[in-house]
Amino acid sequence: MAHTHRPESDIALRVKAIESLLVEKGIVDPATLDTIIDAYEHRIGPHNGARIVAKAWVDADYKQRLLADGTSAIAELDLTGFSSEHMVVVENTPQVHNLIVCTLCSCYPWAILGLPPTWYKSFAYRSRAVIEPRKVLQEFGLDIPDDVEIRVWDSNADLRYLVLPERPAGTAGLSEAALADLVTRNAMIGTAQVPPPEPPSTLAA
Amino acid sequence: MNGPHDMGGMHGMGPIPIEPDEPVFHAEWEAKVFAMSFATFCNFFPVDETRHASERMPPGDYLSSAYYERWLYALERLITEHNLVTPAEIEQRIAELAPGE
Amino acid sequence: MAIETSNECMSVSQAKALLKHGVECRGVSDDPPQFQVGDVVRAKVMHPITYTRLPRYVRGKIGTITKVHGVYIFPDTMGQRLGTKPQYVYSVRFAAQELWGPDAASKDVLHIDLFDDHLEAT
């Protein structure tokens, strides 16, 4: 991440000054700002995407609709929203590993995964994901074998992307809700695989 | 424009800064910059105009600024270019709000 | 036709609607798409000093149309408030080696969404 060249307190003061002017001039409403912050801090997040993935894992028809037309299949779950207006869902398989990036800014499916993490917005990720995706994935602990195709998706236009990760082994008996709990944000961007459920501690050797 | 924002394939940016369990916003000012920008989307500025404004940040500044500092730059640039607020008003308000002066 | 905005303060209910429904970025065009799935295309070589969503690393490179997404408002003109200029968007697949040379993995590919104005026939 870039280092800030101004002290944080200077930036915070500048923001406070701009906020007070915009409120005073009737350009922004403080209640609206609170609504926006609350939405992204408390309501919108990767749990939305995890619901989509878990449903696709247990419902083959849904999965087919999701991969054919992500936007309408996601709308079935009422998970539409800003910066997720038009969704494409790409499936990881034993032969293909998908990775999402936005090199020009940091476009990301906000309504499905929340606001992006710092690493997704970093210059390192934006510059390197397209030219050396395998090295980037190694930094996340993922070694993709040479015979697996890596597909990088640069989401530079209005389409937003979601990775449908592979369902881990040992999850045959799990409910849709339990499956959703296993799905991580990074797995839906393509920088992680979904780990199998932890074995019950009583079975530990 | 051939700006620093167009960074696909650039070298030298270092390792990916992976931060476990990070908060949505790291400081209140980040949340405020984000929310103020969001509140201007469509009503005042098309989203692409905001993206373009952050790309117009001078390259050296762009590459040494954090994500929400670039958002702040874009917001400030657009509100001043569209004469909603003047640069002088911003500086004056900063002076008024500055602690212990 | 320059883009005008309402310049009205966003209310709480407007913010909730924007959060829930997003922005309308689809457009309408009477023209058929210039390209079809399977067409081989070149990303144009161009260096506008203004806003563009065509990154440098694909300019001049040869790719294949893999999907026609439909008609969308053109960000390159919207970013300057010049107009909506609706046109087709395509998912274009480039081989990693086409973009980065022989050091890239031979199996790997990159997909990017490009507009009619970004592409030309080969």
Side-chain angles (χ1 to χ4, degrees):
Chain A
M1 175 173 164
H3 296 284
T4 58
H5 62 290
R6 295 186 285 184
E8 286 261 325
S9 56
D10 285 7
I11 302 170
L13 178 61
R14 190 163 202 92
V15 172
K16 195 165 279 209
I18 290 172
E19 181 188 1
S20 81
L21 285 164
L22 292 181
V23 169
E24 191 175 289
K25 290 168 181 277
I27 294 164
V28 300
D29 174 357
T32 299
L33 303 186
D34 290 344
T35 298
I36 294 163
I37 293 168
D38 177 65
Y40 286 108
E41 280 196 324
H42 301 120
R43 293 194 297 103
I44 304 173
H47 58 280
N48 291 340
R51 274 182 58 199
I52 298 165
V53 169
K55 184 167 177 63
W57 282 346
V58 300
D59 181 340
D61 288 342
Y62 183 75
K63 177 178 161 183
Q64 200 169 22
R65 294 198 299 282
L66 185 68
L67 295 174
D69 179 353
T71 307
S72 57
I74 289 170
E76 288 178 35
L77 302 183
D78 198 30
L79 292 173
T80 56
F82 185 89
S83 189
S84 307
E85 293 87 346
H86 302 283
M87 292 295 303
V88 176
V89 180
V90 291
E91 182 185 18
N92 279 354
T93 68
Q95 292 80 37
V96 176
H97 185 89
N98 294 280
L99 181 67
I100 314 302
V101 65
C102 169
T103 59
L104 293 175
C105 39
S106 304
C107 294
Y108 188 80
W110 289 3
I112 310 301
L113 297 181
L115 296 179
T118 293
W119 65 257
Y120 186 88
K121 301 178 291 196
S122 69
F123 296 151
Y125 187 72
R126 287 168 54 193
S127 61
R128 295 176 55 206
V130 288
I131 189 171
E132 49 179 21
R134 288 172 188 270
K135 285 185 183 160
V136 166
L137 289 171
Q138 279 168 3
E139 287 177 29
F140 284 91
L142 273 188
D143 261 310
I144 304 297
D146 288 346
D147 61 348
V148 173
E149 172 188 333
I150 294 189
R151 283 184 199 158
V152 180
W153 301 80
D154 190 351
S155 40
N156 59 318
D158 292 305
L159 287 302
R160 295 289 174 271
Y161 288 84
L162 182 74
V163 174
L164 176 59
E166 288 183 86
R167 180 171 175 168
T171 57
L174 292 188
S175 68
E176 194 175 320
L179 287 168
D181 286 342
L182 295 177
V183 180
T184 63
R185 174 193 66 204
N186 288 10
M188 294 182 278
I189 312 173
T191 57
Q193 285 161 341
V194 177
E198 289 181 20
S201 54
T202 51
L203 296 181
Chain B
M1 62 184 288
N2 293 342
H5 68 280
D6 185 1
M7 54 177 52
M10 279 178 75
H11 287 138
M13 296 300 185
I16 311 295
I18 301 166
E19 181 185 339
D21 302 321
E22 68 175 286
V24 175
F25 300 108
H26 291 73
E28 192 193 352
W29 71 264
E30 291 189 352
K32 285 296 176 71
V33 168
F34 173 79
M36 285 192 282
S37 302
F38 192 98
T40 64
F41 286 165
C42 307
N43 284 26
F44 286 91
F45 316 120
V47 178
D48 282 297
E49 189 181 18
T50 299
R51 285 200 189 98
H52 185 36
S54 73
E55 297 173 2
R56 291 188 286 146
M57 194 172 196
D61 293 344
Y62 186 99
L63 292 171
S64 55
S65 298
Y67 180 74
Y68 285 113
E69 278 186 275
R70 302 194 297 275
W71 278 63
L72 172 60
Y73 175 88
L75 177 67
E76 193 172 331
R77 182 139 186 181
L78 290 180
I79 59 175
T80 52
E81 281 183 349
H82 288 283
N83 300 313
L84 300 169
V85 177
T86 67
E89 283 176 308
I90 295 171
E91 296 310 322
Q92 188 186 337
R93 186 58 54 94
I94 288 170
E96 287 164 10
L97 294 175
E101 298 214 6
Chain C
M1 193 175 59
I3 300 298
E4 299 292 339
T5 47
S6 70
N7 290 2
E8 65 177 357
C9 183
M10 187 181 289
S11 64
V12 168
S13 61
Q14 273 185 314
K16 285 180 176 170
L18 186 58
L19 286 163
K20 184 67 200 157
H21 304 295
V23 181
E24 181 52 72
C25 49
R26 294 300 297 263
V28 177
S29 169
D30 294 333
D31 300 327
Q34 286 185 37
F35 306 105
Q36 302 297 332
V37 170
D39 284 357
V40 175
V41 295
R42 179 186 288 111
K44 286 181 184 171
V45 175
M46 57 177 185
H47 294 275
I49 60 167
T50 49
Y51 186 64
T52 181
R53 300 302 285 177
L54 175 66
R56 270 174 287 184
Y57 75 88
V58 299
R59 295 179 196 167
K61 307 295 185 185
I62 307 273
T64 305
I65 304 282
T66 61
K67 190 171 184 179
V68 182
H69 286 305
V71 177
Y72 285 78
I73 288 168
F74 192 39
D76 297 22
T77 47
M78 278 301 281
Q80 307 169 71
R81 301 174 80 116
L82 292 177
T84 56
K85 207 179 180 190
Q87 53 190 279
Y88 286 87
V89 176
Y90 311 87
S91 181
V92 188
R93 184 184 65 224
F94 295 90
Q97 291 193 338
E98 166 72 6
L99 299 174
W100 312 109
D103 287 345
S106 59
K107 279 189 89 79
D108 295 353
V109 302
L110 176 128
H111 285 254
I112 186 166
D113 294 319
L114 299 176
F115 290 73
D116 275 321
D117 279 4
H118 295 150
L119 296 169
E120 61 193 7
T122 53

